[in-house]
Amino acid sequence: MKKFAAGILTALCATAIATAQPIDQPTEYTQQAAPAQVANQQAVAPEAQNNEAMPIDDQQATVAPKKKTIGFGARASFIYGNFWGFKNLDDLDEPTGFGGDFGVAAKFPIISGLTFTPEIAFRLFYLDHGDDDYTRNFDMTFLDFAFYVRGEITKAFYLEVGPQISINTSGNYKIENESGAYDNFENIEASPVELGINIGGGYYILDNLSVGFRWYMGFNEVFPDVKYFDELNADDFEGSKPKRSVKCSFSNLKGAHTMMFKLGITYWFI
C-alpha cells in the first residue's frame, strides 16, 4: 500500500514538474487579458493626442488679427455742380454743369476702424447759364488737395469727411451771343484758391475696389474781386472800354460759391 501511494505521489510530482512554468511567462488568462488592455491603451492614445497643447506660435497665428497697411490707389469721379449764393442774377438761373476729376489717393491707418485718406486730383469743371440774348460759359480747371478721415461702419461700408484746398489753374469765362456786343469788355478773374469741405460715403465692391458719393461745399466766393458792369464809375474806363486792370462782368457774379456732387471709383494697388 505504501509502495502504491509512493508511486502515485511520485507520478504526481513528476507531472507537476513537467507542467510547471516560470512566473514571468504569460498564462492563458494573461494572454486573453492582454488584447483588451492594448485596446484600452489604443483608445486612450487619441484622446491624449487630441488634448495635446498647441504650440504657442500656432495659437498666435490663429488668433492674431490681420494688420492693416498703408495703401495707394488711383481715383476718378464724375461731377455735377453749380454756383449758388449770388446776390443778384437779374432773373438768370444759377450756372450749372458737369465735370470730372482724376488723381491718386493714399490711406494711413490711425486706429482700428479709422483711416486718414488724402487725395490729389486734377479737376475739370464746365458750367453755363444765360437767357435769350447770351450764354455765359465757365470753363475752369483746378488742382484739388483733399484730406479725409474715413470711418468704417461695416467691413464694406464707410463714411468720410475732410477739408479740400483747390488751386485754380485756368479759367475761361466767355459770353456767346450773335452780335458779339460783349466781346473785349469783360475781365473776369476767379479766386486763385478755394477752400471747402467734402462729406460722403462709399462701399467696397471688392477688397481693392470701392465706389463712393461725395457732396462738396465751397467756403469762399469764387469771384470776390469782379465788379458788376453797372457799378463801374468813370475812373474805371479808358475810352469806351473798361481798363484791363479793372475786373468786371456784365453779369453780377457777387456771392457765387461752388457746390458739387461727385460719384467716384477708387482702385487700390496696395
Side-chain angles (χ1 to χ4, degrees):
M1 190 68 174
K2 289 182 180 179
K3 291 181 178 180
F4 178 74
I8 294 176
L9 181 61
T10 301
L12 290 174
C13 289
T15 303
I17 293 172
T19 58
Q21 295 179 356
I23 296 175
D24 56 351
Q25 183 173 347
T27 62
E28 290 181 1
Y29 176 79
T30 308
Q31 291 175 355
Q32 292 175 358
Q37 185 176 0
V38 172
N40 290 337
Q41 291 177 352
Q42 291 177 350
V44 173
E47 282 187 14
Q49 293 176 357
N50 291 337
N51 292 334
E52 185 177 355
M54 293 177 61
I56 296 176
D57 292 341
D58 293 344
Q59 290 179 350
Q60 290 179 349
T62 303
V63 176
K66 184 179 179 181
K67 292 184 179 180
K68 294 185 177 180
T69 58
I70 297 174
F72 297 94
R75 178 179 176 82
S77 300
F78 170 78
I79 299 173
Y80 171 78
N82 69 307
F83 290 148
W84 68 278
F86 292 92
K87 294 181 179 180
N88 185 5
L89 269 180
D90 296 331
D91 297 328
L92 292 175
D93 293 331
E94 294 178 345
T96 59
F98 301 92
D101 65 27
F102 56 91
V104 295
K107 54 182 177 181
F108 303 92
I110 303 174
I111 59 175
S112 179
L114 203 63
T115 307
F116 173 57
T117 312
E119 295 181 4
I120 302 176
F122 181 73
R123 171 165 51 102
L124 307 172
F125 200 36
Y126 304 113
L127 310 178
D128 63 60
H129 72 155
D131 56 18
D132 295 336
D133 295 330
Y134 72 93
T135 299
R136 179 186 299 284
N137 299 313
F138 301 86
D139 300 340
M140 311 172 72
T141 61
F142 296 87
L143 190 60
D144 295 335
F145 299 87
F147 307 93
Y148 297 95
V149 175
R150 177 176 296 182
E152 296 179 358
I153 305 302
T154 65
K155 291 183 178 180
F157 180 70
Y158 62 86
L159 297 176
E160 60 185 359
V161 61
Q164 177 172 304
I165 302 174
S166 300
I167 300 175
N168 189 331
T169 56
S170 68
N172 184 12
Y173 315 101
K174 184 179 179 181
I175 289 182
E176 296 180 356
N177 68 327
E178 295 181 0
S179 65
Y182 302 113
D183 293 347
N184 301 321
F185 273 84
E186 292 189 319
N187 183 19
I188 299 175
E189 185 175 313
S191 174
V193 178
E194 182 178 304
L195 304 177
I197 189 170
N198 287 286
I199 300 173
Y203 183 82
Y204 278 90
I205 303 174
L206 303 172
D207 289 342
N208 60 344
L209 186 66
S210 63
V211 295
F213 176 81
R214 293 169 178 170
W215 171 75
Y216 170 85
M217 174 64 69
F219 292 149
N220 56 306
E221 287 191 34
V222 182
F223 308 103
D225 301 324
V226 178
K227 295 182 178 180
Y228 184 33
F229 192 79
D230 291 348
E231 298 175 348
L232 299 180
N233 53 47
D235 295 334
D236 294 325
F237 285 87
E238 185 175 0
S240 59
K241 297 181 180 179
K243 297 178 181 178
R244 297 308 301 168
S245 59
V246 177
K247 299 178 180 60
C248 62
S249 169
F250 281 104
S251 301
N252 191 349
L253 302 179
K254 290 292 185 180
H257 289 70
T258 303
M259 182 186 297
M260 293 184 290
F261 302 91
K262 310 175 187 178
L263 181 62
I265 185 169
T266 305
Y267 180 83
W268 297 100
F269 298 103
I270 301 176

